[in-house]
C-alpha cells in the first residue's frame, strides 16, 4: 500500500491524532499524537491490509532549535512489503511517552537505548535501565547540549593534547 | 558469566539465575565496548565517518562501508557507476562469507570440533588475503568512498577468487562431512535456542536467525539494492528455528554468496569506479597538483566536507547477521546531524533471554555462538 493510502486510512480511524504527513520525501513520514501512539501502532500491526509486523528501528532525534525531541519509529510489513515512518514530538524537558513493548517486543531494548542516550522516559516499561552506559553515568550523550563529566570513577575523561605533553 | 569468559567472543555479561545447572532467568548486560559511535559521527565530516563504520561489525566491515555509503548517496541523490556497484556487491559477499565462516568455525570449535574451527579459519584466511590485495588492509579497510570505491580491482582478481573458492569449497565439504551428521554436534545444537516464528518477528530478528524459523526475508531480495536484482541466488531457510538450523542456514548462505560473486565477476562491466562529480568525489592527485580547480575541489571536500542536502533517510542492507540499517539525518552542510545504526546483533541479543530460558548452562555456548554477537556492532 502506498504511504498516502496508509495515512488516509489512519486519518479516518484516528481523526485529529495523526497529522503532518510528508509524502514527497525519501521515507514518507507522519506525526502521531503522544497520547495515541500505542493504539495507532497496535492498529497498524493488526489491521489485515496494513500488517506492520516489524518495528525495524526506534530511535530519538534531538532538535534543540525547535525545543523538542522526536521519537522516530521505522516500521515495515513482511506480508505487504511496505513501510512508513512515525514520529512523535516531545518537549525537551522531561520527555515522556508510553512504551511500545506491548506491541513489538523488540521495543524493550530499543527504548532502553533511547532512554540511555536521550533521556526519554518510557512509561510502563518493564525494565527501564541504562543499557550501553554504566548505571551511574551522568547525562544523556546524544543530546546536542551534552557536556561530558570531567571524571568517571576517579579516571579523567579529558586528555591533554599530545603536543603539550611533549613540550612539558 | 562474563564479562570476559573464554567462550564469549565479545565482552558481554550474563546475569544468570540458576537452579542447579538449569537457567531460570538470564539478564544480558551489554555495553562494554560502547565508544559513542553516533556522537563521534556528529563531530566529523561525512567522509570521515567511513573508518568508524569499519569498526562496527569488524568481521564483515565491507558491508558496513557499503551500507553507509549507499545511505549518504541516496540523500545526495546520486548513483554510482555500474562497475562500482558490481565491485561493492562482490566485496560485500566476500565479507559475508568471512562473517559466516568465523561464526560457524568458532561455534564448532567451542563444541569440541576444533579441526573444523581450523579448516574454516583457513578458508577465511584465503578470502581475507584477497580482501587485503584489493583494499590494502585485513579488517579496518575503509574501502568505499561516498560516490565510489577507493580504487579498482587488481587485474588478476578473478583468477585469485576462483582459486580461493576452489580451496574453500574443498574445506567446506570436509567440514560438512565432519559436522553435519556428527552425533555430538547435532546433540548440542539441535532443539536448543528455539524461537517460534511469531517470537522471532515480535523481537524484530533478521538474518539467519529469522530465516532459520522459516521466514524467507532477506533485504537483498525484499528491497534489492545495488545490482542484486540482476543476480540469481536463493535464500536458504530452516524449519525448526533452533541452533542447528541457524548453522545450516549460514553454511548454505556461504555457497549462495560464492554463486553471487562468480556471476558478478562474469557480468562486471568496464568503466570508472567513482562518480565524475567533483563536489562528491575527491579529484585525482594529478589534477590537485596541476590545476586550480582540482586543488579547490580537493580543499573543499577535505576542509568543509561533502555538502549533503537537508533531509533524512533510512537505508537497510543485508549484513552478515541480518538487517543493518543506517538512519541518517542531515540539516545541510558538511557534517552529519545524526547517524544511527540499527545493529542486527544488538536486537538478536535482546531475544537471547527468550532463547535460553529453561536450558542448561552449557547451552549458552552454542546459542550465543550462533547469534554471532560482534561487540563493535552491538555496543557501538
Amino acid at each position: 500500500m502506498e504511504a498516502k493510502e496508509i495515512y488516509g486510512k489512519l486519518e479516518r480511524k484516528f481523526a485529529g491524532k495523526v497529522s503532518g504527513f510528508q509524502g514527497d520525501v525519501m521515507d514518507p513520514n507522519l506525526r502521531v499524537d503522544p497520547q495515541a501512539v500505542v493504539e495507532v501502532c497496535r492498529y497498524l500491526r493488526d489491521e489485515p491490509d496494513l500488517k506492520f509486523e516489524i518495528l525495524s528501528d526506534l530511535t530519538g532525534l534531538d532538535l534543540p532549535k525547535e525545543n523538542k525531541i522526536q521519537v522516530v519509529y521505522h516500521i515495515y510489513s513482511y506480508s505487504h512489503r511496505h513501510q512508513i515512518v512515525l514520529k512523535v514530538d516531545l518537549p525537551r524537558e522531561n520527555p515522556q511517552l508510553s512504551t511500545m513493548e506491548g506491541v513489538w517486543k523488540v521495543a524493550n531494548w530499543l527504548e532502553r537505548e533511547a532512554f540511555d542516550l536521550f533521556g526519554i522516559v518510557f512509561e510502563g516499561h518493564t525494565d527501564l535501565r541504562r543499557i550501553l552506559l554504566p548505571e551511574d553515568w551522568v547525562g544523556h550523550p546524544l543530546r546536542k547540549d551534552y557536556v561530558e563529566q570531567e571524571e568517571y570513577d576517579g579516571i579523567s575523561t579529558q586528555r591533554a593534547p599530545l603536543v603539550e605533553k611533549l613540550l612539558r | 558469566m562474563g564479562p570476559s569468559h573464554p567462550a564469549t567472543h565479545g565482552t558481554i555479561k550474563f546475569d544468570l539465575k540458576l537452579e542447579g545447572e538449569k537457567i531460570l532467568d538470564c539478564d544480558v548486560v551489554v555495553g562494554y565496548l560502547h565508544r559513542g559511535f553516533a556522537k563521534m559521527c556528529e563531530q566529523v565530516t561525512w567522509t570521515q565517518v567511513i573508518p568508524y563504520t569499519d569498526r562496527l561489525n569488524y568481521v564483515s566491515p565491507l558491508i558496513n562501508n557499503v551500507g553507509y555509503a549507499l545511505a549518504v548517496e541516496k540523500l545526495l541523490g546520486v548513483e554510482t557507476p555500474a562497475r562500482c556497484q558490481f565491485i561493492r556487491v562482490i566485496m560485500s559477499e566476500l565479507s559475508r562469507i568471512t562473517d559466516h565462516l568465523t561464526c560457524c568455525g568458532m561455534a564448532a570449535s567451542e563444541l569440541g570440533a576444533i579441526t573444523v574451527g581450523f579448516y574454516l579459519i583457513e578458508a577465511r584466511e584465503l578470502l581475507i588475503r584477497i580482501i587485503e590485495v584489493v583494499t590494502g588492509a585485513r579488517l579496518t579497510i575503509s574501502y568505499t568512498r561516498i560516490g565510489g570505491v577507493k580504487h579498482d580491482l587488481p587485474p588478476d582478481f578473478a583468477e585469485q577468487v576462483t582459486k580461493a573458492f576452489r580451496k574453500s569449497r574443498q574445506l567446506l565439504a570436509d567440514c560438512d562431512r565432519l559436522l553435519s551428521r556428527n552425533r555430538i554436534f547435532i546433540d548440542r545444537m539441535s532443539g536448543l535456542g528455539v524461537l517460534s516464528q511469531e517470537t522471532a518477528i515480535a523481537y524484530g530478528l533478521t538474518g539467519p536467525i529469522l530465516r532459520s524459523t522459516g521466514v524467507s526475508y532477506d533485504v537483498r531480495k525484499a528491497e534489492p539494492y545495488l545490482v542484486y536484482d540482476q543476480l540469481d541466488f536463493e535464500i536458504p531457510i530452516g524449519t525448526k528455528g533452533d541452533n542447528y538450523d541457524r548453522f545450516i542456514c549460514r553454511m548454505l548462505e556461504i555457497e549462495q554468496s560464492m554463486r553471487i560473486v562468480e556471476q558478478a565477476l562474469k557480468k562486471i562491466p568496464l568503466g570508472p569506479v567513482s562518480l565524475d562529480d567533483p563536489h562528491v568525489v575527491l579529484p585525482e592527485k594529478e589534477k590537485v597538483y596541476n590545476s586550480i580547480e582540482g586543488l579547490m575541489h580537493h580543499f573543499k571536500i577535505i576542509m568543509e566536507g561533502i555538502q549533503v542536502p537537508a533531509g533524512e533517510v533510512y537505508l537497510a542492507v543485508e549484513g552478515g547477521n541480518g538487517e543493518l540499517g543506517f538512519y541518517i539525518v542531515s540539516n545541510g552542510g558538511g557534517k552529519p546531524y545524526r547517524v544511527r545504526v540499527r545493529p542486527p546483533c544488538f536486537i538478536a541479543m535482546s531475544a537471547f533471554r527468550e532463547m535460553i530460558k529453561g536450558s542448561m548452562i552449557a547451552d549458552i555456548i552454542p546459542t550465543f555462538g550462533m547469534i554471532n554477537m560482534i561487540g563493535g556492532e552491538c555496543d557501538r
Side-chain angles (χ1 to χ4, degrees), chain B residues 12-56:
Chain B
I12 187 168
K13 193 169 85 176
F14 304 108
D15 284 342
L16 300 169
K17 195 171 163 199
L18 301 170
E19 189 187 83
E21 284 209 37
K22 201 171 153 210
I23 298 164
L24 297 181
D25 203 355
C26 169
D27 183 26
V28 183
V29 183
V30 297
Y32 291 95
L33 213 59
H34 181 62
R35 56 213 183 277
F37 169 81
K39 194 73 179 173
M40 285 194 291
C41 292
E42 288 168 16
Q43 328 284 325
V44 295
T45 64
W46 293 97
T47 320
Q48 286 172 317
V49 173
I50 293 174
Y52 291 146
T53 63
D54 285 346
R55 286 142 178 90
L56 288 170

Side-chain angles (χ1 to χ4, degrees), chain B residues 66 70 80 84-86 88-89 92 224-230:
Chain B
V66 169
L70 280 174
T80 46
C84 166
Q85 300 206 8
F86 273 93
R88 284 180 177 182
V89 166
S92 300
Y225 53 97
L226 292 172
V227 287
Y228 279 112
D229 48 350
Q230 299 172 29

Side-chain angles (χ1 to χ4, degrees), chain B residues 147-164:
Chain B
V149 292
K150 194 163 78 182
H151 46 63
D152 207 342
L153 301 172
D156 61 341
F157 181 73
E159 290 149 45
Q160 288 190 33
V161 171
T162 319
K163 227 157 99 192

Side-chain angles (χ1 to χ4, degrees), chain A residues 123-139:
Chain A
E123 289 157 14
H125 193 286
T126 49
D127 187 22
L128 199 63
R129 291 175 289 149
R130 282 185 185 271
I131 187 162
L132 295 177
L133 296 169
E135 274 306 306
D136 51 352
W137 195 262
V138 182

Side-chain angles (χ1 to χ4, degrees), chain B residues 1 11 14 23 27 32 39 62 126 131 141 146 171 180 291 368 371:
Chain B
M1 186 170 171
T11 315
F14 304 108
I23 298 164
D27 183 26
Y32 291 95
K39 194 73 179 173
L62 278 151
L126 294 169
I131 291 175
I141 41 158
I146 293 159
L171 289 164
S180 298
S291 75
F368 180 69
I371 290 181

